[in-house]
């Protein structure tokens, strides 16, 4: 009977002991791993517990047994925001470096084209004799003005080119006039004014002006687009994360350590929601960012549209020769018409002997027969291909940034049932939010007021819009003013358009090029190229 009485009692005691807290699951769990992490981050071990403590004091991490005090939680929370801001800046610097490299590459190519064209003046124009030797400064001034315009000077390119042809006409007429005839400044001004009405240089000035303006306006606007893009990246990458984001990052990154789950990585969808919430304002750059990149892509493609950039710049000396030769051939007719309009300056003679002699020696050279070296054309193709592929890689940067941040931080696809979901080691159930501030209204991880966007980022969105409009104007051949892209939104300029009508001599443009030889060898996918840009960021994450 005693045995039968004791048996239920033993069973009851055994069951009670099985559910009672043991030393391995309660407050006696060691905090060695967290202590090492904490000191490794530069903090002292003062008041850091040796074993787990009760977690009722926690404000960012889920409450429960923990190795983190309130001070530790605050320190690690601030650290998580600081580290993430550092990673964002590092990714931004990588993208800035890519824009700077594109700028340097294109600038080197363009300035070499310009310099080679200027150096070929002597060879091309020397047959003109005194019309070249006595006008070298005039030709040099033209190239200097073009160079200054490309560098951002407030020159009116249309007026600059018109002034060049007027001065060249004035000097040519003066050289052709007999030496005994005195020409007053007023008379030479009258001669110069006949440039537009009598067209002494044929169609060359008008045709050359249209092509040069198109070439230099697009080149200058493209360079400015690269500079503005890099500046937008720099300014946006310096925006501080919100306190709400700091709490979410602490919970994502360091709360698992506080809970003794240092080896458990965050669930990928959980990480995505945290990063999409933290970078919601940055993601709102995406529409205007893509618009700017697409427009720069169009501008880059236009460089190889006939007449291509290299042909336009390289043929400047030949076009000048063609124009002067035309005037030489028709000088008698032109002189007679000038006399009708401006009056006779003195007794008509036979003109300058040197000029007549030069007419006999010079031969016709037209730009239509001029072709740059095959090497120059190949280099332009390579330049356009490189620009196009690199720009394509940058197109998705702002929406891919959260993906890049989570690429090493979060668990891989096979570990989604055994990852940190913000509370414990289990699957993360909430859906992933979309990109941008408006899509974060139901974000379960980051509290955001979607009615209060970040004003610094809104200002940069406006800069992207301004730059896109200026690039589109440049594609239409409109001269635009780039004095300070951050101070105004008008972008006014003189340009070629009159009465609302703009010449459109280019073929239809497209956001992305067809699969042809010109762009062969570009990056396989935008995502793969973007991951290369973000490689330093991923490396830093891996070192955590």
């Amino acid at each position: 009977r005693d045995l039968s009485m004791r048996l239920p009692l033993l069973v009851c005691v055994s069951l009670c002991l099985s559910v009672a807290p043991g030393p391995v699951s309660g407050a006696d769990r060691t905090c060695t791993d967290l202590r090492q992490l904490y000191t490794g981050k530069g903090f002292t071990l003062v008041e850091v517990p040796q074993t787990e403590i009760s977690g009722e004091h926690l404000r960012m991490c889920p409450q429960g047994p923990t190795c983190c005090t309130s001070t530790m939680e605050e320190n690690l929370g601030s650290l998580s925001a600081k580290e993430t801001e550092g990673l964002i800046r590092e990714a931004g610097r990588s993208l800035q470096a890519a824009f700077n490299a594109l700028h340097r590459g294109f600038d080197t190519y363009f300035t070499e084209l310009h310099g080679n064209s200027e150096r070929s003046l002597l060879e091309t124009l020397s047959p003109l004799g005194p019309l070249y030797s006595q006008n070298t400064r005039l030709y040099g001034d033209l190239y200097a003005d073009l160079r200054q315009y490309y560098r951002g000077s407030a020159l009116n390119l249309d007026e600059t080119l018109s002034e060049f042809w007027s001065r060249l006409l004035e000097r040519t007429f003066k050289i052709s006039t007999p030496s005994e005839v005195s020409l007053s400044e007023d008379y030479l001004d009258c001669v110069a004014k006949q440039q537009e009405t009598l067209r002494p240089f044929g169609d060359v000035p008008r045709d050359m002006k249209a092509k040069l303006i198109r070439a230099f306006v697009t080149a200058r606007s493209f360079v400015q687009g690269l500079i503005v893009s890099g500046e937008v990246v720099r300014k946006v990458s310096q925006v501080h994360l919100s306190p709400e984001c700091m709490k979410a990052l602490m919970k994502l990154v360091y709360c698992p350590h506080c809970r003794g789950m240092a080896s458990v990585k965050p669930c990928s969808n959980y990480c995505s929601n945290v990063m999409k919430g933290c970078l919601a304002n940055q993601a709102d750059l995406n529409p205007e960012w893509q618009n700017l990149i697409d427009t720069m892509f169009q501008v880059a493609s236009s460089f190889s549209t006939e007449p291509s950039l290299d042909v336009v710049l390289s043929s400047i000396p030949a076009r000048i020769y063609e124009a002067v030769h035309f005037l030489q051939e028709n000088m008698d007719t032109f002189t007679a018409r000038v006399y009708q309009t401006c009056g006779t300056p003195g007794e008509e003679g036979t003109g300058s002997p040197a000029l007549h002699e030069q007419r006999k020696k010079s031969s016709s050279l037209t730009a239509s027969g001029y072709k740059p070296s095959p090497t120059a054309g190949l280099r332009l193709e390579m330049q356009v291909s490189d620009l196009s592929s690199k720009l394509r890689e940058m197109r998705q940067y702002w929406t891919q940034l959260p993906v890049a941040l989570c690429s090493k931080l979060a668990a891989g696809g096979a570990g989604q049932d055994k990852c940190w979901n913000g509370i414990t080691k289990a699957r993360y159930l909430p859906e992933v939010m979309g990109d941008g501030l408006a899509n974060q209204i139901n974000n379960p991880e980051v509290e955001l007021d979607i009615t209060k966007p970040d004003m610094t980022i809104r200002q940069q969105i406006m800069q992207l819009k301004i730059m896109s409009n200026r690039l589109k104007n440049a594609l239409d051949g409109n001269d635009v003013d780039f004095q300070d892209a951050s101070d105004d939104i008008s972008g006014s300029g003189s340009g070629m358009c009159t009465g609302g009508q703009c010449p459109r001599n280019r073929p239809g443009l497209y956001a992305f090029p067809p699969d042809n030889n010109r762009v062969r060898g570009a990056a396989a996918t935008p995502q793969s190229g973007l991951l290369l840009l973000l490689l330093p960021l991923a490396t830093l994450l891996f070192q955590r």
Side-chain angles (χ1 to χ4, degrees):
R1 183 177 178 179
D2 290 340
L3 181 63
S4 63
M5 292 284 291
R6 286 197 295 268
L7 191 60
L9 180 62
L10 290 171
V11 172
C12 180
V13 170
S14 298
L15 289 172
C16 290
L17 287 173
S18 68
V19 298
V24 296
S25 59
D28 293 327
R29 185 180 294 170
T30 179
C31 293
T32 302
D33 289 343
L34 181 60
R35 288 169 66 86
Q36 291 178 350
L37 171 74
Y38 199 64
T39 56
K41 296 295 183 180
F43 301 109
T44 65
L45 289 176
V46 178
E47 298 184 358
V48 177
Q50 295 281 352
T51 57
E52 284 184 339
I53 59 176
S54 174
E56 290 84 356
H57 58 280
L58 296 175
R59 295 293 178 266
M60 289 180 262
C61 295
Q63 294 185 347
T66 182
C67 287
C68 289
T69 63
S70 294
T71 300
M72 293 173 66
E73 187 183 36
E74 290 176 5
N75 288 341
L76 291 173
S78 298
L79 179 64
S80 65
K82 183 178 179 181
E83 287 179 335
T84 303
E85 287 174 347
L87 292 171
I88 294 170
R89 285 194 296 271
E90 184 65 29
R93 283 192 289 267
S94 178
L95 185 58
Q96 279 182 268
F99 276 115
N100 290 338
L102 287 180
H103 181 197
R104 285 193 304 271
F106 179 78
D107 184 65
T108 298
Y109 169 75
F110 190 85
T111 52
E112 284 182 3
L113 269 183
H114 182 277
N116 291 337
S117 176
E118 185 173 11
R119 282 188 289 274
S120 70
L121 276 170
L122 175 61
E123 179 183 355
T124 305
L125 299 184
S126 57
L128 296 177
L131 288 179
Y132 170 71
S133 60
Q134 296 182 26
N135 292 325
T136 53
R137 183 169 181 175
L138 176 62
Y139 301 130
D141 287 347
L142 172 63
Y143 276 90
D145 287 342
L146 292 174
R147 187 184 300 108
Q148 289 179 26
Y149 177 84
Y150 168 71
R151 294 295 181 200
S153 172
L155 286 172
N156 184 308
L157 203 52
D158 191 314
E159 292 179 0
T160 298
L161 292 169
S162 295
E163 177 66 15
F164 166 75
W165 290 110
S166 294
R167 290 174 64 195
L168 183 59
L169 175 60
E170 180 182 312
R171 288 166 178 253
T172 304
F173 185 83
K174 188 174 182 179
I175 293 173
S176 70
T177 301
S179 56
E180 63 272 14
V181 177
S182 177
L183 298 174
S184 66
E185 289 298 322
D186 289 342
Y187 191 87
L188 289 175
D189 285 343
C190 180
V191 173
K193 291 176 181 177
Q194 309 312 306
Q195 154 64 18
E196 291 294 331
T197 55
L198 300 183
R199 297 171 62 189
F201 296 113
D203 293 328
V204 172
R206 186 176 303 175
D207 182 62
M208 181 176 162
K209 180 188 291 186
K211 291 173 180 176
L212 275 179
I213 286 179
R214 176 182 177 272
F216 275 84
V217 167
T218 53
R220 185 171 81 156
S221 64
F222 184 75
V223 166
Q224 189 70 19
L226 294 175
I227 294 172
V228 168
S229 299
E231 275 298 291
V232 168
V233 172
R234 182 183 66 82
K235 291 178 181 178
V236 172
S237 298
Q238 292 175 345
V239 171
H240 292 293
L241 300 174
S242 66
E244 292 77 15
C245 173
M246 184 197 74
K247 294 176 184 177
L249 288 170
M250 171 62 193
K251 188 177 175 184
L252 175 77
V253 179
Y254 289 118
C255 286
H257 294 271
C258 293
R259 291 296 295 269
M261 300 182 186
S263 61
V264 181
K265 286 190 172 185
C267 301
S268 60
N269 285 354
Y270 172 39
C271 183
S272 293
N273 275 343
V274 171
M275 295 304 177
K276 282 175 180 284
C278 288
L279 299 172
N281 282 283
Q282 287 86 335
D284 280 344
L285 287 159
N286 194 56
E288 289 302 329
W289 177 264
Q290 289 191 356
N291 186 30
L292 176 58
I293 294 296
D294 288 347
T295 309
M296 284 199 291
F297 195 103
Q298 292 177 356
V299 173
S301 299
S302 74
F303 294 146
S304 56
T305 301
E306 295 299 331
S308 60
L309 188 65
D310 57 333
V311 170
V312 173
L313 266 69
S314 302
S315 65
I316 292 174
R319 298 312 307 271
I320 295 174
Y321 183 97
E322 181 184 351
V324 174
H325 185 77
F326 181 89
L327 177 57
Q328 285 180 315
E329 292 295 310
N330 299 277
M331 181 59 80
D332 293 339
T333 303
F334 173 71
T335 300
R337 297 184 66 179
V338 166
Y339 287 171
Q340 291 177 358
T341 305
C342 301
T344 305
E347 291 298 321
E348 290 191 44
T350 57
S352 169
L355 182 61
H356 278 291
E357 184 66 22
Q358 212 53 45
R359 288 191 212 177
K360 297 176 184 177
K361 292 181 180 179
S362 62
S363 58
S364 178
L365 172 68
T366 62
S368 59
Y370 172 82
K371 296 291 181 184
S373 68
T375 305
L378 179 60
R379 189 176 176 193
L380 176 62
E381 286 194 14
M382 294 174 62
Q383 188 74 29
V384 172
S385 176
D386 183 58
L387 289 170
S388 300
S389 62
K390 292 295 195 306
L391 288 171
R392 192 185 300 112
E393 292 167 8
M394 300 168 177
R395 193 172 183 271
Q396 303 288 339
Y397 177 78
W398 297 109
T399 54
Q400 288 296 313
L401 186 56
V403 177
L405 287 165
C406 290
S407 62
K408 290 292 184 181
L409 186 64
Q416 296 308 303
D417 287 323
K418 299 178 180 179
C419 52
W420 173 252
N421 66 4
I423 300 174
T424 188
K425 181 180 177 181
R427 176 175 286 274
Y428 182 75
L429 298 178
E431 64 177 347
V432 177
M433 300 293 102
D435 297 315
L437 188 60
N439 286 318
Q440 307 310 310
I441 189 169
N442 294 317
N443 192 316
E445 309 305 333
V446 186
E447 293 183 17
L448 289 170
D449 185 348
I450 65 171
T451 66
K452 296 180 179 179
D454 184 276
M455 294 313 297
T456 298
I457 292 178
R458 296 295 133 176
Q459 289 170 359
Q460 297 312 304
I461 290 173
M462 179 58 70
Q463 293 308 310
L464 295 175
K465 288 181 179 180
I466 294 168
M467 195 63 242
S468 294
N469 288 333
R470 289 177 168 178
L471 283 161
K472 288 171 183 175
N473 281 331
L475 281 170
D476 288 334
N478 292 332
D479 192 357
V480 287
D481 180 12
F482 286 125
Q483 284 307 290
D484 190 341
S486 63
D487 287 346
D488 67 275
I489 60 172
S490 60
S492 60
S494 51
M496 296 166 55
C497 298
T498 55
Q501 299 298 314
C502 298
R504 295 178 179 266
N505 297 323
R506 55 189 175 87
L509 295 166
Y510 36 79
F512 295 98
D515 184 14
N516 58 21
N517 292 332
R518 186 173 296 279
V519 295
R520 193 164 294 164
T525 62
Q527 288 79 7
S528 63
L530 183 62
L531 289 177
L532 288 175
L533 287 173
L534 297 173
L535 185 59
L537 181 151
T539 303
L540 287 173
L541 278 167
F542 186 72
Q543 291 172 348
R544 274 185 173 178

